[in-house]
Amino acid sequence: MDNSFLIIFLLVLAILLIKYYTPKIKGFIGENKASKALKRLNNEKYTVLNNIELNIKGSSSQIDHIIVSNYGIFVIETKNYKGWIFGYEKDQSWVQSIYRYKRKFYNPILQNQGHIYALKHLLKNYKYLRYYSIITFTKRATLKTKTYTDVVYINKLVKTIKQYDSYHINEQTKNEIVSIILTAKTNSRNKDKALRVNSIKNHNISCPNCGGNLIERNGKYGIFFGCNNFPRCKYTRNKK
């Protein structure tokens, strides 16, 4: 009797764990595919920031990918759903259809608008930034959407970004924006390994490689100084 109870308990626990972790695993896979695709962008023109979590006015906003570029700021929401995906621009919910199974999920365009709102609040001193919302799906999905916002497959993601080619942000402003986002970010997915960035510009510590500002970072092996022009400049030094 005791063994039967234990087996039932373990089965129920396994089912609950699978139900809880499967969406997270699928989400991670989708984000990873998008991250790999974004590596094809020229890193001198585009700075890619993956998995950024911001806490704005007590509300958390987890953003899959932010790209700070000379052409504007791209905010990307990644979905790894399978089946047919139906939805319109302003619908509250979209529908995932797999044969007879149908499931509603929150409109990712509206979801991404929330992410852009958080970024606008963070970057409120930069009044004339251009933000581009892109929703990207893996090829597991068949898109049946009708939207003005770009909703594309991951293999079309880089091409979609490159179609916005009007120059709006100079190099200095781009670097400042990257530094602000990295400084503000939290990362509840893995707080122990989170990169906590604190500006030390007032200490007049300059990067010997590019002349940028060195900022204090808390990494895996302790506190160190890194250039705020990362990833274009990868200079680091230990804190003494």
Side-chain angles (χ1 to χ4, degrees):
M1 182 68 178
D2 291 340
N3 288 338
S4 298
F5 177 79
L6 180 61
I7 291 172
I8 292 172
F9 172 77
L10 292 174
L11 285 173
V12 171
L13 180 62
I15 291 170
L16 291 174
L17 288 173
I18 290 170
K19 185 175 181 180
Y20 179 77
Y21 282 108
T22 297
K24 294 180 179 293
I25 293 170
K26 288 179 180 178
F28 174 78
I29 292 171
E31 290 175 29
N32 191 49
K33 287 182 178 179
S35 296
K36 288 181 178 179
L38 294 173
K39 288 180 179 179
R40 304 202 320 260
L41 291 168
N42 185 333
N43 61 14
E44 292 186 0
K45 297 179 180 179
Y46 303 89
T47 299
V48 180
L49 306 175
N50 299 310
N51 184 24
I52 298 293
E53 184 169 330
L54 302 175
N55 195 307
I56 305 296
K57 295 183 178 180
S59 179
S60 179
S61 183
Q62 194 277 319
I63 307 175
D64 292 339
H65 314 280
I66 302 170
I67 301 173
V68 185
S69 76
N70 300 114
Y71 314 107
I73 298 177
F74 298 86
V75 184
I76 301 169
E77 176 65 25
T78 304
K79 297 298 182 187
N80 189 22
Y81 295 162
K82 67 179 179 179
W84 287 16
I85 304 298
F86 297 91
Y88 290 87
E89 183 84 17
K90 296 182 180 180
D91 288 348
Q92 190 69 22
S93 299
W94 286 10
V95 175
Q96 176 191 28
S97 177
I98 305 173
Y99 300 107
R100 294 184 179 181
Y101 169 82
K102 296 185 187 299
R103 183 182 75 89
K104 289 185 178 181
F105 62 98
Y106 186 52
N107 182 344
I109 293 176
L110 301 182
Q111 182 181 1
N112 219 29
Q113 286 176 2
H115 297 160
I116 292 173
Y117 172 81
L119 275 174
K120 284 183 175 180
H121 181 81
L122 179 66
L123 302 171
K124 57 189 175 184
N125 291 332
Y126 299 87
K127 301 294 185 182
Y128 303 105
L129 295 178
R130 295 197 178 186
Y131 294 85
Y132 303 104
S133 177
I134 302 177
I135 314 302
T136 185
F137 284 79
T138 64
K139 292 293 286 184
R140 298 173 75 233
T142 300
L143 298 177
K144 302 291 183 180
T145 54
K146 293 183 179 180
T147 64
Y148 299 106
T149 300
D150 291 308
V151 180
V152 299
Y153 295 110
I154 285 177
N155 64 332
K156 301 291 185 182
L157 181 56
V158 170
K159 182 179 180 181
T160 301
I161 292 168
K162 287 184 175 180
Q163 73 182 357
Y164 299 97
D165 56 2
S166 296
Y167 192 96
H168 293 292
I169 301 176
N170 62 39
E171 200 67 22
Q172 179 180 342
T173 301
K174 186 178 77 171
N175 292 333
E176 289 173 359
I177 290 170
V178 171
S179 181
I180 289 170
I181 294 172
L182 288 176
T183 301
K185 86 168 186 175
T186 60
N187 195 341
S188 61
R189 289 186 180 183
N190 197 350
K191 287 187 177 178
D192 290 336
K193 294 183 180 178
L195 187 63
R196 181 169 50 84
V197 183
N198 297 305
S199 175
I200 55 169
K201 290 181 180 179
N202 293 334
H203 292 236
N204 296 319
I205 301 178
S206 297
C207 173
N209 279 5
C210 69
N213 291 299
L214 294 187
I215 53 179
E216 187 176 291
R217 303 171 184 251
N218 189 8
K220 182 177 180 180
Y221 300 105
I223 296 173
F224 65 97
F225 291 147
C227 183
N228 71 330
N229 289 331
F230 178 85
R232 189 163 54 88
C233 176
K234 296 180 173 62
Y235 176 84
T236 61
R237 86 176 195 203
N238 293 330
K239 183 176 181 179
K240 297 179 180 179

